[in-house]
Amino acid sequence: MATQPIAAIILAAGKGTRMKSDLHKVLHPIAGRPMLLHLTDSLAEAGASERVVVVGSQREQVEAVVHPLGIRTVVQEHQMGTAHAAREAQGALARFDGVVVVCFGDTPFLSPATIERLVARLDEYDHPKIAVLGFRPLDPGAYGRIIADSDGRILAMVEYKDASPTQRAEKLCNSGVTAVRAADLWPLLARVKNENAAGEYYLPDIVMLALADGDRSVVIEAPEAEVLGVNSRADLAHAEHHWQRARRAHAMADGATLIAPETVWFAWDTVLGRDVTIEPNVVFGPGVAIADRVQVRAFSHLEGATIESGATVGPYARLRPGARIGVNAHVGNFVEVKNATLGEGAKANHLTYLGDADVGAKANIGAGTITCNYDGFFKYRTTIGAGAFVGSNSALVAPVTIGDGAIVAAGSVITKDVDADALALARGTQAAKPGWAKRFREMMAARKAAK
């Protein structure tokens, strides 16, 4: 954690036209979480006590996401460049005395460690006025270039469209992430002019202004993956791939077994215990916590669920929000659980829907059983006691309680509570008519032949 106060200005005023979306670019999700919030989380972890997002186009969408988290916004009415955007935050940070980090809302993977390192560079032996984050991409393309000496002192910074052929040959590129003390930032931003090919006010120009003043600016480097920008759907897919690959490696390093890692998709907040085994083609939505020694079998989808130690889920299971699977419980193939709890050792192994239900310890739910929890207007709860046995193809019409140790006969429709240790049988009467089927077939065959 940094030793001096940190504030962050996050630039997110652009229209993001390449996304071709009605959703603001920085709100497109990576691992189920808006990319902007990946960045704001990292900034908070690095010690940023103030976070200000500069918004413009579709600002209502961004405000609805960040305001509940205590993150402020300021409006850039006209997109006139990165320096102009950063300057819009001056009012919001007028009383802040510390280091300001300027970064971009579409760069979600900036790590807390890199932010801390960038800020700390301002306090090193040479006390630079500005610290800039650089990187060396495989394809420098149209990135702005940084010309620096062997000590990292910046000699020049230039946007690609304004660079000379010699400057374009430089491989060290500008990520745009910049750390400056607040007392220095605002006067420098006020001096930036727009005398360039685009007619915009560029944030990197503050480095050149500091250089002209005789002040030192420095660059530190980060991996390209940390400053990966997302500007299109293809970029978004690449970012998702990058995040998932890192998360899979982290899961395995922490003691989980992934049978086919490339087929497992995690959410940003997935929690895994030790000795968890995850089979191929498993998808985690947000809000899943898995304890030790759990097995998640192939083609299962989990979201908003808690799974306790030793439980088995799947294959082809779906756990929806509110599902709580107890110790050593089993949820089998083509079983869906929603807002329901399975007690220790309970089993629902085949073709079952358990919605708005509480299933007691060691209860056994037969194939094809459903809890009828919705009447078209309201939801109702089903309670199944410990050790109860519900036969196959049963419908439990909520609200209803099946007592401890009770048995529900297969094919029953249960509309009333069942006492503990009782047998509930709710079927139509079976009748048999000897020879009827044979006579029917002969009659129908004769009709068909006559046509």
Side-chain angles (χ1 to χ4, degrees):
M1 187 69 69
T3 58
Q4 55 187 312
I6 301 174
I9 300 173
I10 304 165
L11 307 185
K15 295 182 178 180
T17 53
R18 289 171 56 193
M19 294 297 283
K20 293 182 171 58
S21 176
D22 294 329
L23 181 66
H24 194 289
K25 177 174 70 171
V26 302
L27 300 183
H28 281 264
I30 297 170
R33 185 165 176 79
M35 71 173 84
L36 174 62
L37 298 190
H38 285 271
L39 176 61
T40 59
D41 287 349
S42 291
L43 289 162
E45 188 175 339
S49 58
E50 300 273 1
R51 292 168 292 172
V52 179
V53 181
V54 182
V55 297
S57 178
Q58 299 172 300
R59 62 178 180 256
E60 298 85 359
Q61 294 182 10
V62 179
E63 290 166 350
V65 170
V66 302
H67 284 175
L69 301 176
I71 300 170
R72 291 186 288 170
T73 57
V74 296
V75 179
Q76 184 188 27
E77 293 289 355
H78 304 287
Q79 278 70 67
M80 298 168 61
T82 51
H84 177 263
R87 195 168 62 204
E88 296 294 324
Q90 183 172 0
L93 296 175
R95 298 183 180 180
F96 177 78
D97 183 18
V99 174
V100 178
V101 176
V102 184
C103 50
F104 296 86
D106 60 1
T107 308
F109 298 140
L110 190 61
S111 73
T114 295
I115 297 166
E116 292 174 18
R117 190 161 54 92
L118 185 68
V119 171
R121 183 64 182 87
L122 295 177
D123 286 334
E124 291 188 10
Y125 67 98
D126 51 351
H127 296 289
K129 181 162 283 190
I130 301 170
V132 176
L133 189 64
F135 68 110
R136 297 181 185 272
L138 292 176
D139 178 12
Y143 288 111
R145 300 301 204 266
I146 300 176
I147 313 300
D149 65 19
S150 59
D151 293 327
R153 180 172 181 170
I154 298 175
L155 306 176
M157 287 180 64
V158 61
E159 294 294 321
Y160 179 82
K161 63 185 69 175
D162 298 311
S164 69
T166 300
Q167 290 170 326
R168 290 180 179 183
E170 172 60 55
K171 303 301 183 185
L172 182 59
C173 295
N174 177 24
S175 72
V177 182
T178 306
V180 194
R181 295 175 188 86
D184 297 323
L185 176 62
W186 311 123
L188 286 169
L189 287 174
R191 293 165 58 193
V192 173
K193 300 185 182 302
N194 64 342
E195 297 169 354
N196 51 63
E200 294 188 349
Y201 298 89
Y202 289 143
L203 180 64
D205 285 357
I206 66 173
V207 172
M208 301 310 297
L209 290 169
L211 185 63
D213 293 341
D215 293 316
R216 178 186 295 265
S217 295
V218 296
V219 59
I220 69 168
E221 296 187 32
E224 181 181 5
E226 280 202 34
V227 294
L228 181 70
V230 180
N231 294 296
S232 67
R233 304 283 184 159
D235 290 344
L236 185 66
H238 180 65
E240 183 75 34
H241 174 74
H242 166 77
W243 190 96
Q244 293 293 341
R245 184 173 55 188
R247 182 64 181 89
R248 293 163 189 152
H250 178 74
M252 291 184 287
D254 278 357
T257 294
L258 309 186
I259 303 299
E262 69 281 3
T263 71
V264 176
W265 296 84
F266 290 107
W268 66 278
D269 60 350
T270 305
V271 176
L272 300 179
R274 289 168 61 92
D275 293 316
V276 170
T277 299
I278 303 173
E279 294 185 0
N281 298 296
V282 172
V283 176
F284 293 91
V288 176
I290 296 179
D292 297 344
R293 302 181 306 283
V294 167
Q295 183 178 26
V296 182
R297 304 197 61 194
F299 293 97
S300 294
H301 188 287
L302 294 71
E303 181 177 359
T306 300
I307 306 172
E308 297 186 28
S309 60
T312 300
V313 175
Y316 294 98
R318 185 181 182 198
L319 303 186
R320 292 170 57 194
R324 297 185 63 87
I325 311 304
V327 173
N328 296 325
H330 289 191
V331 175
N333 49 286
F334 301 103
V335 174
E336 180 178 352
V337 182
K338 188 273 296 184
N339 192 28
T341 299
L342 270 67
E344 182 174 355
K347 297 180 180 180
N349 279 330
H350 320 280
L351 303 160
T352 291
Y353 172 68
L354 297 173
D356 301 295
D358 295 293
V359 180
K362 297 185 178 179
N364 191 328
I365 311 300
T369 295
I370 62 170
T371 56
C372 306
N373 58 328
Y374 183 52
D375 64 3
F377 296 93
F378 301 102
K379 299 287 182 69
Y380 304 93
R381 204 152 188 89
T382 297
T383 301
I384 301 170
F389 184 97
V390 179
S392 298
N393 200 34
S394 294
L396 310 180
V397 183
V400 70
T401 297
I402 311 299
D404 293 349
I407 295 177
V408 174
S412 294
V413 178
I414 302 299
T415 60
K416 298 179 181 179
D417 291 350
V418 179
D419 292 338
D421 296 318
L423 169 66
L425 184 69
R427 303 176 184 151
T429 301
Q430 181 172 317
K433 298 182 178 181
W436 186 93
K438 181 180 179 182
R439 293 193 298 272
F440 175 77
R441 285 193 298 270
E442 291 173 348
M443 178 182 67
M444 297 308 290
R447 286 186 184 178
K448 189 172 183 180
K451 285 190 176 181

